[in-house]
């Protein structure tokens, strides 16, 4: 299992989610939570959408998760996750091996969505929240190669700060 989060210019791929399966779905009054066999949890509101094949936002087969009976969702989403994509726009797309996809659209900012590793928040609609055991590596979108940036310079020892000033530029 790859333990990195790949960062592209518009998205993150949370590699440790690949191959995870939903062990249990917790149905809450305001949303649901997928408990994965890998220790991750994915929580979202009931406005999250499912589609049996298409990635298109206007596909006629793409519906809110409440469109299907809970028992059918629990039966359908048993395959491993193959595509855990979290966009910097705040949306997400999780693809399952059987072709089903779950979406939270950036057009619906009121729908909550979060990813946890245990109790540690990893991602929410604002972006990567905690890198914990999963380092974020920047990847070139064309070549797939890692982008190695030079390290940030350390703070100069002779930097004088005026902590009594109200000016943020002091």
């Amino acid at each position: 299992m790859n333990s990195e989060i790949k960062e592209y210019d518009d998205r993150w791929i949370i590699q440790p989610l690949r191959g995870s399966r939903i062990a249990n779905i917790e149905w809450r009054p305001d949303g649901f939570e997928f408990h994965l066999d890998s220790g991750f949890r994915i929580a979202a509101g009931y406005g999250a959408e499912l589609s049996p094949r298409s990635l298109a936002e206007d596909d006629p087969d793409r519906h809110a998760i409440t469109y299907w009976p809970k028992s059918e969702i629990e039966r359908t989403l048993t395959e491993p996750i193959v595509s855990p994509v979290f966009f910097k726009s705040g949306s997400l797309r999780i693809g399952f091996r059987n072709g089903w996809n779950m979406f939270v659209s950036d057009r619906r900012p009121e729908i909550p969505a979060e990813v946890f590793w245990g109790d540690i928040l990893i991602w929410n609609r604002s972006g990567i929240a905690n890198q914990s055991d999963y380092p974020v590596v920047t990847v070139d979108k064309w070549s797939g190669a890692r982008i190695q940036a030079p390290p940030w310079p350390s703070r100069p020892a002779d930097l004088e700060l005026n902590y009594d000033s109200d000016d943020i530029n002091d």
Side-chain angles (χ1 to χ4, degrees), residues 155-166:
R155 180 178 164 181
D158 62 342
L159 185 64
E160 293 185 29
L161 296 176
N162 181 358
Y163 292 103
D164 296 325
S165 174
D166 289 335

Side-chain angles (χ1 to χ4, degrees), residues 17-93:
L17 286 174
R18 285 194 170 163
S20 296
R21 292 175 183 259
I22 296 173
N24 180 42
I25 301 175
E26 185 178 340
W27 301 102
R28 298 179 173 173
D30 58 344
F32 60 93
E33 188 170 294
F34 293 158
H35 295 259
L36 305 178
D37 62 1
S38 58
F40 283 92
R41 294 182 292 126
I42 300 170
Y46 284 121
E49 299 172 304
L50 290 174
S51 174
R53 296 269 177 237
S54 176
L55 300 179
E57 199 149 359
D58 60 349
D59 186 271
D61 291 330
R62 182 170 164 168
H63 301 285
I65 198 165
T66 54
Y67 177 82
W68 290 275
K70 291 175 184 174
S71 59
E72 186 174 341
I73 293 168
E74 291 168 351
R75 226 179 9 261
T76 302
L77 300 183
T78 58
E79 293 290 317
I81 293 172
V82 293
S83 181
V85 183
F86 301 85
F87 294 91
K88 293 183 178 180
S89 65
S91 61
L92 69 82
R93 179 183 70 228

